[in-house]
């Protein structure tokens, strides 16, 4: 079952005009012939790599704003990274609890049989196992 059908079955409405597609391709020569995703008759805009770099600047801006708001309110506020991690864990938890969710089996396959922790997915490319090393002298 695909995502759009799942949303319709669960009475959720996908706003295709606010949806973006992000392609992650680790190949040496990224293929540009990937057809765009089409939802409800609209081709979904692809998020370019150039926009990804802009995200780090946006994150710094949000963290500055949070720091300023924290000083104005007089109470500590969490950074974007902390909030993002907390929300991601909450979303994973709801996916694992909902057996009809399309990602339930995928996420469930990552859970450890010894604890409630999620394992990191296995990587088949040897280059991703090695730590990043700084080039040069």
């Amino acid at each position: 079952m695909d995502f759009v059908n799942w949303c319709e079955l669960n009475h959720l409405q996908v706003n295709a005009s606010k949806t973006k597609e992000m392609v992650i391709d680790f190949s040496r020569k990224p293929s540009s012939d990937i057809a765009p995703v089409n939802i409800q008759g609209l081709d979904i805009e692809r998020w370019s790599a150039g926009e990804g770099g802009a995200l780090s600047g946006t994150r710094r801006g949000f963290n500055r704003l949070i720091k300023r708001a924290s000083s104005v309110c007089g109470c500590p506020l969490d950074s974007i990274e902390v909030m993002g991690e907390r929300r991601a864990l909450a979303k994973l938890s709801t996916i694992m609890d909902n057996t009809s969710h399309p990602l339930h089996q995928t996420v469930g396959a990552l859970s450890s049989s010894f604890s409630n922790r999620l394992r990191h997915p296995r990587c088949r490319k040897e280059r991703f196992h090695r730590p990043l090393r700084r080039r040069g002298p």
Side-chain angles (χ1 to χ4, degrees), residues 7 11-12 33 38 47 49 65 67:
C7 288
H11 308 290
L12 298 172
D33 59 337
N38 188 296
W47 205 349
L65 181 64
K67 194 173 188 177

Side-chain angles (χ1 to χ4, degrees), residues 120-129:
H120 194 278
R122 289 185 161 255
C123 184
R124 295 175 190 201
K125 297 278 185 180
E126 188 266 330
R127 69 177 184 211
F128 299 121
H129 290 288

Side-chain angles (χ1 to χ4, degrees), residues 8-22:
E8 289 173 1
L9 285 172
N10 289 283
H11 308 290
L12 298 172
Q13 186 176 7
V14 177
N15 189 340
S17 65
K18 291 183 178 181
T19 304
K20 287 194 177 190
E21 173 189 20
M22 180 169 53

